[in-house]
Amino acid sequence: MRRVVYPGTFDPMTNGHLDVLRHGCALFDEVVIAVLHNPLKQPLFEASERLELAKAATSQFPNVRVDTFEGLLVDYYVKQSFHGVIRGIRNMQDLQVEMQMAHMNESIYPDIHTIFLPTSPERSFISSSLVKDVAMHGGDISPYVPQVIATALEMKLRKH
Ligand code: PNS
């Protein structure tokens, strides 16, 4: 059984992430979405909220599990005996950043396998940061995130 990890901040999960996940699910037996809990970062949603939102947004995928991790990705990867890491690529900028991360991970742990999956062109401009920006300024984010996320974002921003 081929199990891969899809790590990220997912603050929050977008339709771009779901697109990458769709490809991952078609290629591998199980995809574990690993939500990074980084105490040094100040995300809009807490790790527990991002975990619950990712679960709700991916319930249609039978071979997806959602988890959180802290610390180095390679440590989590080894502990969970994954066969690979999947990451989405939207553009050349992503490729540059992702190559650097993949090389760093491989330098720390040479047996890690990173697989880049391109997003579909119509989703290549979607990012969690831009979605939050549009939402904060009162724009319609429904084309860019699952409904459950749009609702959660609206509620969160009302409290802020
Ligand atoms: O969604 P993001 O913020 O682009 O995801 C980045 C992530 C979580 C994959 C990356 O920051 C990560 O793996 N962080 C864990 C700490 C780590 O292993 N750092 C060294 C890898 S370059």
Side-chain angles (χ1 to χ4, degrees):
M1 173 150 153
R2 290 274 143 192
R3 292 173 66 244
V4 292
V5 58
Y6 180 17
T9 307
F10 302 109
D11 185 40
M13 179 162 269
T14 68
N15 289 342
H17 292 124
L18 288 186
D19 200 32
V20 173
L21 193 61
R22 184 172 59 86
H23 290 298
C25 285
L27 289 169
F28 301 101
D29 299 309
E30 186 180 52
V31 179
V32 176
I33 295 172
V35 176
L36 176 68
H37 174 54
N38 183 351
L40 300 177
K41 266 194 181 178
Q42 282 258 299
L44 181 63
F45 291 97
E46 298 295 328
S48 56
E49 294 176 310
R50 285 178 278 136
L51 175 98
E52 288 309 319
L53 287 176
K55 272 187 191 167
T58 60
S59 56
Q60 73 272 32
F61 296 98
N63 55 339
V64 167
R65 201 161 61 75
V66 186
D67 192 15
T68 52
F69 79 106
E70 240 181 281
L72 283 179
L73 175 64
V74 291
D75 290 339
Y76 175 68
Y77 182 93
V78 171
K79 221 184 242 172
Q80 299 281 324
S81 309
F82 288 116
H83 297 102
V85 181
I86 61 169
R87 290 283 291 168
I89 302 289
R90 291 167 296 190
N91 49 43
M92 293 310 281
Q93 228 176 324
D94 271 358
L95 186 62
Q96 230 167 350
V97 173
E98 293 297 331
M99 283 292 281
Q100 199 179 4
M101 287 205 280
H103 288 157
M104 176 56 87
N105 286 333
E106 197 171 319
S107 157
I108 304 171
Y109 181 66
D111 279 344
I112 198 165
H113 307 291
T114 303
I115 301 115
F116 293 153
L117 295 169
T119 54
S120 47
E122 62 272 21
R123 304 223 165 83
S124 63
F125 61 91
I126 303 175
S127 72
S128 299
S129 323
L130 279 185
V131 165
K132 283 182 282 190
D133 194 43
V134 171
M136 266 173 214
H137 292 92
D140 176 19
I141 52 160
S142 62
Y144 318 122
V145 291
Q147 188 51 51
V148 64
I149 306 271
T151 306
L153 202 41
E154 209 175 279
M155 282 166 62
K156 175 69 86 179
L157 292 176
R158 233 184 267 158
K159 280 188 210 151
H160 256 64

